[in-house]
Amino acid sequence: MVIVMNPNAAEEEIDQVMKSIRSLHFDVYRSKDRYRALLGIIGQPGEDLCSILEAMPSVEKIVPVSQPFMLASRDFKNEKTTFEVGGVEIGGEKIVIISGPCAVEGRESYLQTAEAVKQGGADILRGGAYKPRTSPYSFQGLEEEGLKILAEARERTGLPIITEVMDQHSVELVARYTDIVQVGARNMQNFKLLKELGQLDKPVLLKRGMSATIEEWLMAAEYLLSNGNYRVILCERGIRTFETYTRNTLDLSAVPVAKELSHLPVFVDPSHSTGRWKLVPYMSLAAVAAGADGLMVEVHTSPKEALCDGPQSLIPEKFLQMIAPLRGVAQTIGRTL
Ligand code: PEP
Ligand code: MN
């Protein structure tokens, strides 16, 4: 249930309403839209609390929430969530491009790729310093050295950076360097990690788990929101199906669905969802047409030598070629890129 406060409700009045809710042993979460404070109550308050609240002049109305993910839902906040990271607006009119290699493999190669994707039109740089690999014998990432290289790339290009955090013990270290923290598909339901990131003052990009339903994905986002972090980006990265030709199956319908259910920005990762670089431009076009607020695209200067995910990585030239048609689709649907 959401309590919509009057736009001119004073701080003391909002406090009073929150106290009344807590006095009846309900948890309450505070949010806001452009005009007013919104208070979300967990549970099913009875008639008594509803009549107390309705009688309060600072309360405009009470809205029942039909979804289990209350704070992430459009019932709670109908207006799209937008926020800024390092000069880049997330969730706004412009479709945001995140790009870079799967993993940070070395200083020279990373800085070269960072410059190339910047020229190609990237807004944010990606690169894993901690890699969640299926095999323990595969390259696991450069760890803090990788984070330092990412930070240097930010200095040189002026672009903000995103990198994955794999466990709650490294949150503090990763957050010291990165602008956006990425939660990988394999960690979407690592609830301890989500709680920790909910208390962090950094935006989080939450990948959809490879076998997660849209509701489970939004419930994972709810962990971040309910712990106080409202700067959350949802990222569809493909789900497991019976199809083996592609690495995963890109569930594009999840984009309009998630956007209808939630106010959070929704991105698409055409690289991990297909596993094949040739498919990346097509799925990127489709993702933009489906309403994605951003794309996360893997680029490598020499995919054959990549330590991770070479087959799905575009060379910088192909990345550059992909941008103009994307811009055309963006314009057609009233957005920019
Ligand atoms: C990644 O983006 O580097 C990654 C590992 O993606 P996912 O968690 O979607 O597999
Ligand atoms: Mn990858």
Side-chain angles (χ1 to χ4, degrees):
M1 188 167 106
V2 176
I3 315 298
V4 180
M5 300 298 293
N6 274 321
N8 47 12
E11 269 311 300
E12 306 83 71
E13 292 176 304
I14 299 171
D15 277 350
Q16 191 50 48
V17 174
M18 291 177 77
K19 269 196 199 123
S20 311
I21 297 168
R22 288 197 181 112
S23 71
L24 288 171
H25 311 292
F26 286 100
D27 271 345
V28 58
Y29 289 91
R30 183 170 172 179
S31 177
K32 60 179 184 346
D33 63 15
R34 194 180 298 176
Y35 309 104
R36 63 203 119 202
L38 304 169
L39 306 177
I41 305 180
I42 307 296
Q44 292 295 328
E47 289 288 308
D48 47 346
L49 179 56
C50 290
S51 22
I52 294 173
L53 295 172
E54 262 156 6
M56 293 177 133
S58 57
V59 171
E60 186 178 292
K61 58 180 174 180
I62 299 178
V63 184
V65 178
S66 48
Q67 310 292 353
F69 40 88
M70 180 178 67
L71 304 176
S73 76
R74 287 266 186 186
D75 294 333
F76 186 58
K77 180 172 177 278
N78 191 31
E79 198 178 275
K80 270 184 82 176
T81 288
T82 63
F83 52 87
E84 195 243 63
V85 190
V88 177
E89 192 190 27
I90 308 285
E93 188 184 290
K94 187 189 177 306
I95 291 155
V96 172
I97 308 288
I98 302 176
S99 185
C102 179
V104 181
E105 299 175 0
R107 182 175 173 274
E108 293 307 319
S109 64
Y110 191 81
L111 295 178
Q112 192 192 344
T113 313
E115 282 299 340
V117 297
K118 182 185 176 179
Q119 298 310 321
D123 304 293
I124 298 175
L125 299 176
R126 66 151 286 147
Y130 297 86
K131 293 306 304 174
R133 305 304 298 278
T134 301
S135 166
Y137 308 119
S138 301
F139 176 60
Q140 303 283 309
L142 295 181
E143 304 188 339
E144 190 169 4
E145 189 196 334
L147 297 173
K148 287 185 176 152
I149 295 169
L150 284 165
E152 185 178 350
R154 170 181 47 212
E155 287 279 299
R156 289 182 172 227
T157 59
L159 301 183
I161 56 179
I162 176 168
T163 198
E164 178 166 350
V165 65
M166 274 176 43
D167 57 77
Q168 79 249 42
H169 309 294
S170 37
V171 168
E172 201 257 295
L173 175 66
V174 173
R176 223 184 293 149
Y177 291 93
T178 197
D179 299 295
I180 306 175
V181 178
Q182 177 172 328
V183 175
R186 291 156 191 80
N187 260 324
M188 189 205 82
Q189 285 189 317
N190 181 339
F191 301 118
K192 280 201 170 153
L193 176 63
L194 296 175
K195 282 183 188 172
E196 186 93 16
L197 295 176
Q199 286 159 38
L200 189 73
D201 191 19
K202 289 268 158 117
V204 175
L205 179 140
L206 179 65
K207 293 269 193 114
R208 179 179 179 186
M210 54 187 83
S211 302
T213 63
I214 294 172
E215 185 170 306
E216 286 164 342
W217 185 27
L218 292 170
M219 290 307 286
E222 192 78 5
Y223 267 86
L224 297 165
L225 272 62
S226 62
N227 280 280
N229 195 342
Y230 286 85
R231 291 186 294 168
V232 175
I233 304 165
L234 299 167
C235 183
E236 161 63 39
R237 47 77 73 204
I239 51 173
R240 281 269 167 93
T241 67
F242 55 81
E243 181 56 70
T244 53
Y245 189 81
T246 47
R247 184 175 177 184
N248 292 286
T249 297
L250 177 56
D251 180 10
L252 267 186
S253 58
V255 177
V257 172
K259 290 184 69 165
E260 190 180 317
L261 294 174
S262 176
H263 50 83
L264 296 172
V266 181
F267 281 32
V268 167
D269 174 344
S271 307
H272 291 88
S273 53
T274 60
R276 291 174 179 258
W277 67 265
K278 274 194 180 166
L279 299 179
V280 169
Y282 299 115
M283 300 324 282
S284 299
L285 285 169
V288 170
D293 296 301
L295 299 174
M296 176 179 260
V297 182
E298 284 186 345
V299 171
H300 198 285
T301 48
S302 180
K304 284 202 170 65
E305 279 147 14
L307 297 178
C308 185
D309 289 350
Q312 67 194 35
S313 300
L314 290 171
I315 54 171
E317 290 88 317
K318 295 279 181 207
F319 172 67
L320 203 132
Q321 283 166 17
M322 175 179 105
I323 299 296
L326 277 183
R327 197 162 280 142
V329 176
Q331 274 160 9
T332 307
I333 59 165
R335 301 190 70 169
T336 56
L337 189 139

